[in-house]
Amino acid sequence: MRLVRVGDAGSEIPGVLLDDDTVVDLSDVVRDFDEAFFASGALATLPSAVADRAASGRTEPLAGRRLGAPIARPHQILCIGLNYSDHAAETGQEVPSEPILFTKAPNTLIGPDDDVLIPRRSRKTDWEVELGIVIGSRASYLADEAEAAAAIAGYVLVNDVSEREWQIERNGQWSKGKSAPTFNPAGPYLVTPDEVGDVLALDMWLDIDGVRRQTGSTATMIFSPTFIVHYLSQFLTLEPGDLINTGTPPGVGMGQSPQVFLKGGETMTLGITRLGTQTQRVVADTTASD
């Protein structure tokens, strides 16, 4: 299934896509795709509800309506740094022996095609196409990767927007460079694992103004999604609906020679096989000052 949330920001309704142009409204069945929804196990009941409504013609055209992030604001957004061997190489850093963990503020989450705002005083705002994991059940001290796989509700395309000066040059606290408003576009949909297939064989790409900047594959991940979920569960409790951003392939602005960063006015377009595409307009804060 492909889960979506359709409507104006703050008023999205939950649904499932039948195809790229047709949605089944589930707002009378599900309040939202939030922590309570995933914790209830209701995800497993959706296929029959969707099939019944599709059979009776209870569908709607998507027709250019806004898509919000496919999950409501999560309990937490966790992120894995330097998780692609080729990205680690472009930044001149060693491949980590264990996952590097940092967090993003949950209020960074926006829809896949919403504007991305460059924060005040930013000089090094950057892009990162990423695979996101959505947790489907409470996970603590998971025994192995099989249990981790069972705890995954699905996968989502993410742009892990970053401010590199704040991330790297401000006493090494990555979260400061990751948590500005609009810094986590997600969607267009949450895809359940059965439709994703081999999660370690997905092509990834990102363009800036039509110029290809990132080309990669989840095949170069250092730590797989199931490894990450199992690993994190040993240190903290993952809650239903949590989002985990799993790292980016090469081609980020920081890795260019010379380095290139967003200034405002650009268009970012990105995608991952079977997870859809995003397009964001980059908007500079005109009140910014030195």
Side-chain angles (χ1 to χ4, degrees):
M1 288 185 300
R2 293 184 295 170
L3 278 61
V4 293
R5 297 171 67 249
V6 183
D8 295 338
S11 301
E12 297 93 343
I13 60 171
V16 168
L17 285 186
L18 289 182
D19 55 46
D20 290 344
D21 301 311
T22 310
V23 63
V24 174
D25 183 346
L26 296 173
S27 58
D28 61 329
V29 175
V30 176
R31 185 188 69 175
D32 206 348
F33 295 142
D34 55 12
E35 182 176 352
F37 164 77
F38 290 108
S40 72
L43 179 61
T45 71
L46 293 189
S48 60
V50 171
D52 289 345
R53 293 177 182 218
S56 61
R58 296 174 63 188
T59 65
E60 301 175 4
L62 195 56
R65 295 157 69 189
R66 175 186 175 272
L67 289 172
I71 57 172
R73 183 183 295 186
H75 172 261
Q76 57 189 342
I77 299 177
L78 303 169
C79 306
I80 306 300
L82 296 177
N83 193 33
Y84 283 71
S85 56
D86 39 8
H87 173 55
E90 80 168 340
T91 62
Q93 300 181 73
E94 292 185 6
V95 171
S97 58
E98 294 187 47
I100 296 171
L101 174 65
F102 61 93
T103 64
K104 290 189 92 154
N107 63 5
T108 58
L109 190 69
I110 60 171
D113 301 324
D114 292 344
D115 291 348
V116 167
L117 308 178
I118 295 181
R120 297 182 186 182
R121 296 176 294 279
S122 168
R123 294 181 175 86
K124 298 182 179 181
T125 296
D126 204 349
W127 56 83
E128 296 188 34
V129 58
E130 301 202 8
L131 173 75
I133 303 168
V134 176
I135 297 299
S137 59
R138 199 167 191 265
S140 180
Y141 298 114
L142 297 173
D144 51 33
E145 290 190 48
E147 285 195 0
I152 295 174
Y155 299 95
V156 62
L157 169 63
V158 168
N159 190 352
D160 178 21
V161 185
S162 309
E163 213 298 341
R164 301 301 190 185
E165 180 183 11
W166 302 351
Q167 175 189 353
I168 297 169
E169 302 171 35
R170 301 294 293 271
N171 291 331
Q173 297 179 27
W174 284 21
S175 294
K176 288 188 293 193
K178 298 283 187 170
S179 293
T182 75
F183 266 28
N184 208 104
Y189 27 75
L190 167 66
V191 184
T192 50
D194 58 299
E195 291 202 16
V196 172
D198 185 355
V199 75
L200 294 178
L202 305 178
D203 293 332
M204 315 169 71
W205 57 273
L206 183 144
D207 294 348
I208 304 294
D209 291 334
V211 176
R212 183 59 45 92
R213 292 296 187 176
Q214 288 189 270
T215 301
S217 169
T218 55
T220 66
M221 271 189 174
I222 300 165
F223 305 108
S224 72
T226 53
F227 182 96
I228 290 168
V229 172
H230 171 258
Y231 178 87
L232 293 180
S233 78
Q234 311 306 307
F235 299 93
L236 50 88
T237 298
L238 300 169
E239 300 290 355
D242 280 356
L243 175 62
I244 304 171
N245 297 339
T246 61
T248 197
V252 299
M254 178 177 64
Q256 309 289 314
S257 182
Q259 293 182 332
V260 178
F261 298 108
L262 299 167
K263 303 298 184 184
E266 303 92 344
T267 297
M268 296 187 284
T269 309
L270 56 149
I272 298 179
T273 305
R274 290 188 287 281
L275 299 184
T277 61
Q278 301 180 356
T279 301
Q280 295 114 29
R281 185 171 62 107
V282 181
V283 179
D285 186 339
T286 57
T287 65
S289 62
D290 293 336

